[in-house]
Amino acid sequence: MREQVVRGIAIAPGIAIGPVYDTTEIPAEAPRRGIAPAEVEAERQRLADAVALSRKQIGKLKTRLGILPEEAQEELAPLLDAYVLMLGNSRLLRGARKRIESGLVAAETAVGDEAEAIAALIMAAKDDDRAGLKRRADEVREIARRLTRNLTATPFRSLKDVPEGAILVAEELTPADAALLDPARIAGVATEEGGADGHTAIMLRALGIPSVLGCVGLTGSVTRGDRAVLDGSAGTIVLRPGEKALEKGKEALAAFAKERQKLAKLRRLPAVTTDGEAVELQANLEIPAELPLIAQAGAQGIGLLRTEFLFMNREDLPDEEAQTLAYAQVLEAMGGDPVTIRVLDWGGEKDMEALSQGIAPTHAGPNPALGLRGLRLLLKRPELLEAQFAAILRVADRGSTRILLPLVTNPSEVKQAREIYERVARRLRRKGVHLPEKLPELGCMIETPGAALAADAIALEADFFAIGTNDLAMYTLAVDRAEAEVSHLYDPLHPAVLRLMQFATEAALRLRMPVSVCGEMAGNPRLVPLLLGLGIRTLSMNASAIPRVKQMVRALDIGDCARFARRVMEQSDPQRIHELVMNFGTGGKD
């Protein structure tokens, strides 16, 4: 058979050369089945037995954690905890039991229907973070899949026979499957299904196994034992490579090893420009499972800790104690490095069952992005803000902590939030809680045109700014990136967006106030010269982007960046701005 190149999604960088080992999982046969009223109790018991068996299986997976790399442990442990919660008195199981009783359907039918209903509700939310929504939907589906296999006595996939040095090929891998992989034995992984932001992808990156997911048609193109060259950076797998492709793969393998050594050395080197200007590179954190990736990348702290994870997939609000514990774990893991905690940024488009119980409006309105969300909601329901402030203050002496307010649009909002903040601090001190003499700083997200244009006034009320370029571009250009028909209009390099960023940055710098960028722009090495030229000295990004951004910082001169930024800001044509940015430092026409 001829050489064949199959393209997919680049997941975990690296080159793998070896024989293919294909593995399939027997599908669970669970046709829809009705029951008689007399069978309800028996079906309820079948479901209870499947739940007990599933809990036992997950317990065994937990015992395996100790032999996995630390990064993989940190990814899988919270996920397994979430699975255990879903196998308790969860929405999924309550709904399944109700379907058995009222719908007179078999347990596997009830579980499948309820899981799909919950997943559909999650995915219907109008949230920019589609990847996060999909992860949550997949968590529900995965527990339903496990329950269904146990209800139908269908065996799970076995990976114990994969030979050393093989490239594992499958239609799909679950996070639990990934936990069974031995990175010392498996050369690479390629699957037909899967995306870059799922738990499986995070696990594969944590394990350090070169991986490509989403390779359409892959399993039908391979025969076990076929030789293959997998490129986890390019997102390709070459099946039955010819001499030329094989030689190219070997060269890429050597080059990758050399590049990895180079980037590994960067972890210990400071992010300093050629003329001695220090730049702080921090990481954004969405869920605690990403903490090991932050340590791996050599981040100088967390520039944006999103606290929404505390409110997801639960029926009740996390109390002060639960939040205190969560923040303490993050601060301790960071070992004294600074952590900026953004208080709850809930919008009417996000699906949070705990908030829907009389806290937030039951109807999000025709345009949730412009409704009661972010700081507006927290000021309307100050008990939410008070609980978060109290929890953060209680752990403030365990590390360097700052607090960030979302969706600020005018100075009075900051003033109200500060009054609540100081009132909570006084209450804790009266109770004898030890707080730092100087309270953690209170900063503002600059993510709307209104906030950017009022930045000079807001700066008088705030201690620092964090420019959220994703939302700033969305609100400025009136473009939802999730809407296919207008997504091409989304452009963070649009002159209007850049001018708003410049205005906010200059307002902060005039008061010698810290200002950072924490949107996707911060993690793009090509945009670093422009950001530094505008006066930004702190960038917060996905952890995986830090090494290459640091590499760029260490090659720049601040004077060159400043001159470059002035030239860019003179432009009014977005296309010309893109040309200048792409050509910076290449010797091309700029």
Side-chain angles (χ1 to χ4, degrees):
M1 295 178 70
R2 293 183 180 180
E3 174 181 303
Q4 182 180 353
V5 179
V6 182
R7 301 187 183 280
I9 302 167
I11 297 298
I15 307 294
I17 302 174
V20 163
Y21 186 90
D22 61 313
T23 174
T24 57
E25 185 169 67
I26 303 169
E29 297 292 339
R32 294 190 63 80
R33 183 166 64 88
I35 60 171
E39 297 176 282
V40 166
E41 191 52 44
E43 288 302 306
R44 283 176 57 95
Q45 187 57 50
R46 284 184 66 229
L47 178 58
D49 292 343
V51 168
L53 181 54
S54 297
R55 291 176 72 95
K56 185 177 179 181
Q57 290 163 347
I58 290 171
K60 287 183 178 179
L61 275 175
K62 281 192 167 189
T63 63
R64 178 175 165 75
L65 288 180
I67 66 173
L68 293 176
E70 184 179 350
E71 295 80 7
Q73 291 183 41
E74 294 289 344
E75 166 58 27
L76 191 60
L79 180 59
L80 294 182
D81 289 341
Y83 287 170
V84 170
L85 286 173
M86 278 189 278
L87 290 169
N89 187 29
S90 67
R91 181 175 172 181
L92 172 63
L93 293 184
R94 290 198 314 274
R97 294 186 194 105
K98 188 174 181 181
R99 287 175 187 271
I100 291 172
E101 295 166 7
S102 60
L104 293 177
V105 293
E108 52 267 39
T109 301
V111 167
D113 288 353
E114 185 63 22
E116 286 307 314
I118 295 171
L121 277 175
I122 293 172
M123 294 307 299
K126 293 181 179 178
D127 189 340
D128 275 348
D129 183 18
R130 305 308 296 176
L133 292 178
K134 188 174 186 309
R135 272 198 301 269
R136 289 164 48 211
D138 285 347
E139 288 171 9
V140 177
R141 290 187 174 115
E142 172 59 16
I143 281 299
R145 186 189 78 92
R146 182 170 290 276
L147 286 169
T148 300
R149 296 188 83 80
N150 286 329
L151 282 163
T152 57
T154 307
F156 289 80
R157 184 197 316 272
S158 174
L159 299 172
K160 62 183 179 181
D161 296 326
V162 182
E164 188 170 352
I167 296 174
L168 180 68
V169 168
E171 73 285 353
E172 184 177 18
L173 285 182
T174 69
D177 291 330
L180 299 175
L181 299 179
D182 182 351
R185 292 179 55 83
I186 304 291
V189 169
T191 69
E192 286 210 19
E193 304 292 334
D197 301 299
H199 286 295
T200 297
I202 295 174
M203 275 292 292
L204 291 169
R205 284 193 287 269
L207 289 166
I209 300 174
S211 305
V212 183
L213 304 185
C215 301
V216 178
L218 175 63
T219 56
S221 303
V222 299
T223 301
R224 186 176 294 181
D226 281 350
R227 191 157 194 166
V229 176
L230 180 146
D231 188 332
S233 300
T236 62
I237 178 170
V238 182
L239 305 174
R240 301 170 295 278
E243 188 176 329
K244 187 176 179 181
L246 191 57
E247 187 59 34
K248 187 178 177 182
K250 290 177 180 177
E251 291 173 359
L253 182 60
F256 178 78
K258 187 175 180 182
E259 177 72 6
R260 187 164 55 181
Q261 288 178 339
K262 186 177 178 182
L263 290 177
K265 289 177 182 176
L266 279 176
R267 177 181 174 183
R268 298 184 293 273
L269 296 175
V272 179
T273 61
T274 57
D275 54 333
E277 186 80 13
V279 179
E280 196 168 18
L281 302 182
Q282 299 183 326
N284 299 336
L285 184 73
E286 183 176 338
I287 52 176
E290 297 168 343
L291 279 167
L293 302 179
I294 289 175
Q296 272 185 312
Q300 296 168 274
I302 296 173
L304 176 62
L305 169 57
R306 299 179 173 99
T307 58
E308 290 74 44
F309 73 90
L310 286 164
F311 295 79
M312 298 288 195
N313 293 326
R314 57 183 300 153
E315 298 172 3
D316 56 344
L317 294 168
D319 60 18
E320 186 179 315
E321 292 296 329
Q323 293 191 55
T324 299
L325 177 62
Y327 303 143
Q329 289 173 339
V330 173
L331 285 168
E332 287 166 8
M334 292 306 296
D337 286 341
V339 175
T340 298
I341 303 174
R342 186 182 70 186
V343 291
L344 177 66
D345 185 14
W346 182 89
E349 76 281 7
K350 294 178 183 175
D351 176 45
M352 292 190 190
E353 187 179 357
L355 284 170
S356 66
Q357 307 301 318
I359 299 295
T362 55
H363 185 256
N367 198 334
L370 303 180
L372 187 63
R373 57 165 297 182
L375 186 57
R376 300 169 183 176
L377 172 68
L378 296 176
L379 293 176
K380 188 175 180 66
R381 298 287 185 176
E383 67 274 17
L384 294 173
L385 191 55
E386 288 174 6
Q388 281 206 283
F389 279 158
I392 296 168
L393 285 169
R394 286 172 61 181
V395 299
D397 59 351
R398 303 191 190 192
S400 176
T401 314
R402 300 192 307 178
I403 301 175
L404 189 56
L405 303 173
L407 202 75
V408 172
T409 53
N410 61 68
S412 65
E413 293 172 328
V414 188
K415 193 177 290 187
Q416 290 179 65
R418 191 176 291 280
E419 289 172 358
I420 295 171
Y421 182 49
E422 292 175 348
R423 184 170 71 240
V424 170
R426 288 194 296 271
R427 172 171 61 81
L428 290 175
R429 283 189 168 124
R430 283 197 301 271
K431 287 184 174 181
V433 177
H434 175 71
L435 302 182
E437 186 176 338
K438 185 177 184 299
L439 296 179
E441 293 181 337
L442 196 64
C444 299
M445 289 287 293
I446 303 296
E447 49 192 334
T448 65
L453 292 172
D456 47 359
I458 293 175
L460 298 175
E461 303 294 339
D463 297 320
F464 65 95
F465 282 167
I467 302 175
T469 57
N470 298 354
D471 276 355
L472 182 60
M474 178 187 75
Y475 284 116
T476 302
L477 303 175
V479 171
D480 183 348
R481 288 185 298 170
E483 293 288 344
E485 291 184 0
V486 296
S487 60
H488 65 284
L489 297 173
Y490 180 87
D491 181 11
L493 289 179
H494 190 288
V497 179
L498 295 181
R499 287 167 188 166
L500 290 170
M501 291 177 62
Q502 182 184 43
F503 193 92
T505 300
E506 291 177 350
L509 295 179
R510 279 194 296 272
L511 294 180
R512 299 183 181 278
M513 193 175 82
V515 55
S516 67
V517 168
C518 59
E520 287 181 9
M521 288 180 72
N524 187 336
R526 287 189 175 274
L527 304 188
V528 170
L530 174 59
L531 296 177
L532 297 188
L534 290 174
I536 303 291
R537 295 294 181 269
T538 301
L539 304 172
S540 188
M541 65 205 76
N542 289 332
S544 60
I546 289 176
R548 296 194 185 281
V549 169
K550 184 184 286 188
Q551 192 174 41
M552 174 62 82
V553 168
R554 290 177 58 82
L556 296 173
D557 176 272
I558 285 295
D560 291 343
C561 293
R563 286 187 288 272
F564 173 65
R566 284 195 295 271
R567 185 158 189 199
V568 169
M569 299 309 296
E570 291 170 358
Q571 309 301 317
S572 57
D573 180 5
Q575 185 175 345
R576 178 59 180 150
I577 292 173
H578 277 270
E579 290 173 358
L580 288 171
V581 168
M582 292 303 109
N583 287 328
F584 179 85
T586 65
K589 183 181 177 183
D590 60 8

